[in-house]
Every structure is written in C-alpha cells, then in structure tokens.
Amino acid sequence: MSIRRLPEHLVNRIAAGEVVERPASALKELVENAIDAGATRIAIRLGGGGTDLVEVTDDGSGMTPSDMALALERHATSKLPDEFIENVATLGFRGEALPSIASVARMTLESRPRGSEGWTRVVDNGVLVSEGPAAIPPGTRVRVEALFERVPARRKFLRSPRSEFAACIDVVKRLAMARPDIGFSVEHDGRRSLGVTGGESLPDRVAALTDRGLVDNGVGVDFVREGIGLGGIAGLPTFNRGVADHQYLFVNGRPVKDRLLIGAIRGAYAEMMPRDRHAVVALFLDVPPDAVDVNVHPAKTEVRFRDPALVRGLIVSGLRRALDEAGHRSQHAPKEAMAAWSSEPLEAATPSPSPALWGEGRGEREWETPRSTNPYALNERRTFFTPPPQARAEPAYAPPPETTDYPLGVARGQVAKTYIVAESPDGLILVDQHAAHERLVLERMRKAMANGGVASQALLLPEVIELDEPACDRLEARAAELSEFGLDLDRFGPRAMLVRGVPAMLGQGDVIGLVTDLADELAAFDEALSLKERLDHVAATMACHGSVRAGRVLSVAEMNALLREMEVTPHSGQCNHGRPTWVKLAHGDIEKLFGRR
C-alpha cells in the first residue's frame, strides 16, 4: 500500500484522540485558555457529566473575528511569541485544543474584546456551519455539545455521567487551586456544584476545595533550594485519607500528576503513616523554565525535570522540615467526639501503709531524704516513704485460669494501653490489641456476609456527613450494596449523606471516618464489579473503624476474651494490613536476655 497524506478532518480527529480523551479533557483545555486570557471569573456549565454539554464563560481579553478564525486552525496560538518553547509561561501553547474539540463535537465560539463588537462561529464536527455578530459581554464563551456523537467508537468507552462529572470537578478543583485570584463556579444539570470567589488566600482556597479540616490539621510549607521553591500546605500525618486522590501537585502553576512528585511525598511521610494511608497535600513548585520540560505529554499533565534527584530531595526535605516544626501536633478532634469517650471508673482503694514503715509515733522522720524543690529534677531518688504507684486493681472473684489450657496464654496486664501482656505455658506473649481486634472484626464480617448479610444497628440520632458531590454520588449509587454490609445511608442534599444505621458488630465507631474512607475507596473500584467482589476491601475498611483502638484500657476479662477469640479465628496472626498481631518471647529467649543461658 502506498503512503498517502491524510485529509484534514482525519488529522484533526487523530489529534483529538490525543488531546480530548473524555469531557474532562475538553473542559481542562477550555478553562486553561480562559486563565491564559486573563480572566478573573470563570463560569462553567455541564450537562450529562460533560458528554451532552460543556460551556465555559470568562471575562478575559476576548478575540477579534480574525483571531477566532485562526484559533480554530491547528497549531495557531498567541501564547508563543517566539520559537523558544522551553520558556513558555502559559498553561496552553500548542494551539491544538479548539480545532481538536471542534472536530469531534458541535462547538459554538463567541468572543468580544473590550471596546469592540462580539462575534460568533459555529463548527459542527470540523465543518463551519455559521458565523456572525453576537451580543455578549466582554470575554469569551465556548459551548461544546454532543461530544463524540459522531464517533461512536470513542463515545462507547466513556463512563457513566456521574463518573465523567466527578472527573470534570477534579479538573476544575486543581485549576482553581492553582489560581486563588480567580473566581470559579460550576453548574451541573441546572444545579450549582462548586463555587469559590476570587481574591482568596492560598490556604483558604485549598481548604475550600479539599477539606475544611485541613486548616486546623495542616502545616505551611515554604522551602527553597538552588533556585527551586516549594510552597503550599501539608496535612499532618494523622490527617490522612484512604486514597491518594487528595494530593494536588503544581509545577509553575500547572496541575500535574507526576510519579516522581508522588513518590517524593510518600517518602517524606514514610515513617509517620501506615502504608495504606495517604497524605493530604497541596504543593506548589516554582522551577526555572529551563529546568523543566512541560512538553512531554499531550495533555500536559506530566513534566520532566532536568535534575529529578534535586527536586525529589527538595520535596522530601521541605515536607519533613514543615512536619518537624509541627512538633507533637496530631489531628484535631472535635469536642463532641471527645465527649463520646468516658473513662473507666477506678475503685481501687489506696493501700494503708504500716505504722512502722511510715514512722508513726516518731518525733521526726529521721530516715526520710528531703525532696528536692527543683521542678525539673525528674530523676529524683525515691525513699522508703514514697507512696506506692497507684496501679489499677480489680477484685479477683475467681482464681486466674491456668496457662496450660490456652495456646495464647492468660492475660496478666496491659502496657501503654495498647499491648496485652499474656503468659503462656512456654513463654511471654505481647498482643497489639487494635491490630488483633481489627482482624477479628474482618473475619466476623466475612462470615456474616457468607450467611446472608451483616446485621445493622440503627443510630438513635442519624448522623449527617458532609462530603463533596461526586463522593455522595458514589455512595448513593452503592447504597443498596452497602446496606448488605450493615451500613444504612441516604442522600441528604447535594453534598451530604445521612447515616441511619451502622454494622452492629462495629459498635460505637468513627462513623464519619468510616463513610469518608468508603467514599474514597469507591472511586478506585470498577463500576462493573459489585462490592461483594471487593468484599475484603470494604470489610477491611469497616473493620479498621470498628476495632478496639490503641489507648483504650481493657479489663482482664476483655483481654482474655480477645485472646480466646484469636485462638479460634483464622488468619488472626496478622492484621488486615499485613502487620503481626502478636509476638512471643519463649522462656529460652527471656533467659538469654538475663544472661541465664
């Protein structure tokens, strides 16, 4: 077959395949054009998740009729005044977006520079249909309808309207986060879904678009090394999420999803966060234009650094310095959450000292060493007359069971309110109470699901949980399946869910954290798979939030009950995340520690 030159309309469709992958891709290109045009307000209207309608209106500089005609031709742009593409400072620069979108949809382009008349051009799948005067305010309005309608091979691979809308919202959030000086609004199917005003501070804009709690649970990042600056806000290690979708990265104001940067974030939090949790961050890198190449991806979402090791080290060092300055700070807990915890009453009486020990009847305590008045004397030597430690004591209604009867032994105490100390016939056993109970709850849920479903416990007062609209959409779509896991929830407005019941076996757990993590994880699930096919993931998330937490004081009976259930539960030797739930020190190991062997 001989080589031939492809026709213009086919060239445009091929280019559209690189630039316009889905409605969110088209929206990204249009909003970037509005930002480059100097807009201070950008209004977005969507229909059918962006498949039926994408409309972007801005108050930027506008275009003349001749410029509009050029803008619809390939490789025509106003953003490269010379041939030095490495010095590009705008979001767009290739001049492919508008003709590519117009080749696979019906596009109406309206624009008016200040002090001039407005003009409109209508292009239907690459063919100019009409043009003429338009009555619009200064700025530009681009309306894209019926995306991929005449390209069924592309349209059938689009996801549901809800999924496409979630992708569009994510694009707008990232662009809006990079430009807090610009106001953004999004309307979907006639309902306002997002709105931020221009002129906000960067922390306020980031918090408004991610999580309001980030203001109280984040630290500012400001670090410079060898001409590269790192700024933004980073969540505390305890303020984390179940997926990495809440990591927003920008290079010279351009939203990117770069593996190098994501790996650097994970490296910075490596020793402070479990492997299955992800930090909430918004980081802004300012790099000299000649030190980064932004022209390595058709959608400009990836970049290449001249010195990647320097950039990675900068991010790791900058984040760790900011987190170090946070000191002992941890996630802020609201007062209502703290009020839900009640301390266990301590009824143990203080032992009465013997008269001889305390020197009663003596004129003076001749053997007592005077106590230091120095408030910082932490290593002060205790005397015979120092009162004994006030340890918790429980009445022994029955003699302790024999250790020979149980493989995991008998509970003898608790260390740091986290680890159970048990004595077995052949050694000492330490149990991580949270990790162990997490595995037990997971296995209970698996068994309950195999027997028809998890029992639900109705809440006395339903809990209202505020989330973003795509997260609510995901939960609403899976509500019937989640009810089989014992989680009963309903939609409560555009951005909230009402929780009426929780799995009975979880008890009084963290309902807000549970629903938030489930919403995050549902974003990563294939819509074609039922939640039963992802049973381990859903059940593990629920089990983690319904388990005995580290820091809770357990009675001896509770500790022994936990040990007995571990002995009869499969896989109880490791938690849902692969960490061990218990370790053993054999008698021989203990003897070696004390030099007896």
Side-chain angles (χ1 to χ4, degrees):
M1 182 180 293
S2 60
I3 298 174
R4 68 186 182 96
R5 187 181 299 276
L6 298 178
E8 184 68 19
H9 72 278
L10 185 55
V11 171
N12 284 336
R13 285 194 174 185
I14 293 173
E18 298 177 351
V19 177
V20 187
E21 178 186 358
R22 58 194 306 187
S25 307
L27 177 62
K28 173 181 176 292
E29 299 292 342
L30 298 180
V31 175
E32 286 181 348
N33 283 342
I35 293 174
D36 289 340
T40 60
R41 294 188 307 276
I42 300 176
I44 300 163
R45 291 179 57 219
L46 302 172
T51 307
D52 299 332
L53 171 68
V54 174
E55 183 182 282
V56 178
T57 305
D58 66 69
D59 61 351
S61 59
M63 292 181 287
T64 63
S66 59
D67 283 344
M68 292 173 64
L70 275 175
L72 290 170
E73 295 184 9
R74 293 193 66 212
H75 305 304
T77 181
S78 62
K79 302 171 185 179
L80 284 177
D82 51 39
E83 298 180 1
F84 298 101
I85 192 173
E86 63 273 8
N87 294 329
V88 65
T90 53
L91 296 177
F93 53 86
R94 293 200 185 105
E96 289 185 303
L98 290 182
S100 297
I101 297 171
S103 68
V104 292
R106 180 181 177 88
M107 173 185 285
T108 303
L109 177 61
E110 301 172 286
S111 191
R112 175 191 165 193
R114 283 170 176 77
S116 301
E117 299 296 325
W119 194 259
T120 180
R121 289 175 68 93
V122 180
V123 180
D124 190 359
N125 287 271
V127 179
L128 179 64
V129 175
S130 64
E131 64 176 321
I136 66 168
T140 302
R141 177 165 58 220
V142 185
R143 184 181 179 91
V144 179
E145 300 171 280
L147 185 66
F148 298 135
E149 186 177 54
R150 298 187 188 177
V151 192
R154 295 292 305 278
R155 193 178 181 95
K156 71 180 182 180
F157 284 102
L158 296 180
R159 302 181 70 180
S160 67
R162 283 182 174 178
S163 296
E164 297 298 341
F165 168 66
C168 290
I169 283 291
D170 183 65
V171 163
V172 176
K173 281 184 176 181
R174 292 178 187 275
L175 290 168
M177 206 175 293
R179 294 299 299 270
D181 57 316
I182 301 177
F184 290 80
S185 65
V186 179
E187 183 181 296
H188 182 232
D189 290 337
R191 187 175 65 189
R192 188 181 179 92
S193 302
L194 183 148
V196 287
T197 59
E200 293 182 308
S201 67
L202 183 60
D204 289 341
R205 174 62 63 89
V206 171
L209 296 173
T210 54
D211 191 326
R212 290 287 182 184
L214 187 59
V215 174
D216 296 324
N217 299 292
V219 293
V221 180
D222 188 6
F223 191 68
V224 178
R225 177 184 291 173
E226 297 186 27
I228 301 178
L230 176 67
I233 185 169
L236 296 173
T238 50
F239 186 76
N240 50 57
R241 303 299 288 268
V243 293
D245 291 351
H246 304 275
Q247 295 178 355
Y248 301 89
L249 307 172
F250 306 86
V251 176
N252 294 344
R254 183 188 308 277
V256 298
K257 295 180 179 179
D258 190 85
R259 293 182 180 179
L260 170 71
L261 305 183
I262 294 173
I265 293 172
R266 178 164 290 280
Y269 283 87
E271 300 173 358
M272 297 173 277
M273 189 181 299
R275 285 188 174 184
D276 59 329
R277 306 299 295 180
H278 302 271
V280 179
V281 299
L283 299 180
F284 299 81
L285 269 174
D286 291 324
V287 185
D290 60 349
V292 59
D293 184 1
V294 299
N295 192 29
V296 297
H297 190 276
K300 305 182 292 291
T301 57
E302 296 179 7
V303 294
R304 182 175 297 140
F305 297 99
R306 188 175 63 189
D307 189 349
L310 171 63
V311 174
R312 188 186 189 283
L314 170 80
I315 294 175
V316 173
S317 299
L319 283 175
R320 286 187 174 174
R321 176 174 295 186
L323 295 172
D324 289 345
E325 291 175 356
H328 64 281
R329 284 180 60 195
S330 183
Q331 181 176 355
H332 176 70
K335 293 181 179 179
E336 55 268 24
M338 297 302 295
W341 295 92
S342 57
S343 58
E344 186 177 336
L346 304 178
E347 300 179 355
T350 303
S352 300
S354 63
L357 178 64
W358 289 95
E360 287 188 5
R362 301 178 185 271
E364 59 181 2
R365 297 179 180 179
E366 53 189 72
W367 297 319
E368 184 173 357
T369 304
R371 294 181 63 85
S372 169
T373 58
N374 181 6
Y376 301 103
L378 300 180
N379 295 322
E380 187 174 295
R381 186 173 65 88
R382 293 184 178 272
T383 69
F384 286 109
F385 304 104
T386 303
Q390 299 301 302
R392 183 178 55 146
E394 294 183 358
Y397 295 107
E402 293 293 332
T403 61
T404 55
D405 297 335
Y406 306 109
L408 290 181
V410 176
R412 298 303 189 197
Q414 190 179 21
V415 178
K417 300 180 183 179
T418 302
Y419 305 101
I420 298 171
V421 181
E423 182 185 359
S424 69
D426 55 349
L428 187 70
I429 290 176
L430 296 176
V431 179
D432 183 334
Q433 65 190 38
H434 171 67
H437 194 243
E438 189 177 358
R439 168 58 70 176
L440 299 182
V441 173
L442 173 60
E443 296 301 330
R444 288 182 209 157
M445 294 197 75
R446 282 177 172 169
K447 185 175 181 181
M449 289 300 297
N451 294 332
V454 179
S456 179
Q457 173 66 52
L459 298 178
L460 183 62
L461 295 175
E463 185 91 35
V464 177
I465 301 176
E466 294 185 355
L467 301 164
D468 58 18
E469 191 169 346
C472 293
D473 289 341
R474 292 193 294 269
L475 289 170
E476 184 182 21
R478 301 280 195 168
E481 294 178 86
L482 289 172
S483 66
E484 298 183 37
F485 286 86
L487 184 63
D488 183 14
L489 44 78
D490 296 313
R491 192 67 176 259
F492 194 71
R495 304 179 188 176
M497 299 298 294
L498 185 69
V499 181
R500 301 184 183 275
V502 297
M505 63 182 62
L506 299 189
Q508 296 181 350
D510 179 11
V511 178
I512 296 177
L514 169 62
V515 174
T516 301
D517 278 358
L518 281 176
D520 286 342
E521 292 192 4
L522 288 177
F525 289 176
D526 189 336
E527 291 182 351
L529 294 178
S530 69
L531 292 188
K532 286 185 178 179
E533 294 176 275
R534 303 302 298 267
L535 170 64
D536 286 352
H537 294 274
V538 177
T541 299
M542 291 186 170
C544 186
H545 286 277
S547 304
V548 172
R549 291 291 177 186
R552 175 179 166 184
V553 177
L554 301 179
S555 67
V556 173
E558 289 173 325
M559 289 187 276
N560 279 318
L562 185 65
L563 295 174
R564 301 291 79 78
E565 188 173 357
M566 288 176 64
E567 291 168 351
V568 297
T569 301
H571 313 299
S572 63
Q574 62 277 337
C575 75
N576 310 342
H577 314 293
R579 297 188 294 267
T581 58
W582 60 276
V583 294
K584 183 175 184 178
L585 282 175
H587 286 159
D589 298 327
I590 299 174
E591 290 174 348
K592 288 180 181 178
L593 290 174
F594 288 95
R596 291 178 174 268
R597 275 197 180 183

